[in-house]
Amino acid sequence: MIKAVMVMNTQGKPRLAKFYDYEVSLALPSSLSSRAENVSNFVEADAIFGLDSRLVYKHYATLYFVFVFDSSENELAMLDLIQVFVETLDKCFKNVCELDIVFNYGKMQTILDEIVFGGQVLETSSAEVMKVVEEISKLEAASNAITFVPKTVSNWRGR
């Protein structure tokens, strides 16, 4: 089971944090940003997130994408899932950056919910996730175009 998904900047500030296990805390290891580029992306996280916890991260530009999970998940599969998440964000935001996450928090949550829900992996195809996100965007745009006051009533004031 995936226990948490976090995105943080190089200073360690969380930009996105979603927890699927209530026992997991936001205590991010500050040592991630100081780790060398040539070391493993896998970290034993028992001391931080409790027994049977593992952490995998990937560093892209100024952001760290972190997945915390238990032993029932494969470490390489989690690393691949981070790649799917980042590819989807890149397709959605045209080269995702920290500001995209801050100003489009709802869309980020939607994308993450299409990939992981309730700690279980739902979708591993970036293209399939993008189809759903585009459909949701169309529905949101259509619902924003709906006016709740009939035109006959709104024109009444102008008379």
Side-chain angles (χ1 to χ4, degrees):
M1 176 181 166
I2 297 173
K3 295 183 174 187
V5 175
M6 296 169 275
V7 179
M8 63 182 198
N9 64 13
T10 52
Q11 288 82 33
K13 277 189 167 181
R15 293 303 181 194
L16 173 75
K18 187 137 189 179
F19 300 99
Y20 302 104
D21 185 353
Y22 67 92
E23 295 177 6
V24 174
S25 68
L26 190 56
L28 291 172
S30 57
S31 61
L32 285 184
S33 59
S34 63
R35 287 174 59 102
E37 289 291 323
N38 62 349
V39 298
S40 172
N41 290 5
F42 307 108
V43 179
E44 287 296 326
D46 291 343
I48 301 166
F49 298 108
L51 294 176
D52 194 35
S53 294
R54 298 177 185 171
L55 180 144
V56 63
Y57 72 95
K58 189 75 174 149
H59 182 217
Y60 293 98
T62 61
L63 295 171
Y64 284 92
F65 292 81
V66 181
F67 278 46
V68 180
F69 53 95
D70 62 19
S71 62
S72 67
E73 300 290 344
N74 183 303
E75 292 174 338
L76 292 176
M78 292 296 104
L79 195 59
D80 188 49
L81 200 59
I82 291 174
Q83 183 67 32
V84 169
F85 186 40
V86 172
E87 282 177 11
T88 306
L89 293 176
D90 278 343
K91 287 178 185 175
C92 197
F93 297 116
K94 311 291 185 259
N95 200 5
V96 68
C97 68
E98 189 173 350
L99 290 176
D100 291 325
I101 295 171
V102 171
F103 292 117
N104 297 293
Y105 191 78
K107 194 171 234 181
M108 289 281 298
Q109 289 284 352
T110 301
I111 292 168
L112 184 57
D113 284 345
E114 289 300 319
I115 297 172
V116 177
F117 192 77
Q120 302 297 319
V121 178
L122 293 180
E123 186 60 63
T124 58
S125 168
S126 179
E128 290 298 317
V129 173
M130 280 306 297
K131 285 180 190 176
V132 172
V133 169
E134 288 169 0
E135 281 297 315
I136 291 171
S137 295
K138 287 178 189 176
L139 290 171
E140 285 176 347
S143 70
N144 289 338
I146 297 173
T147 58
F148 295 106
V149 180
K151 288 183 180 180
T152 56
V153 175
S154 61
N155 289 339
W156 176 77
R157 285 188 156 187
R159 290 184 189 174

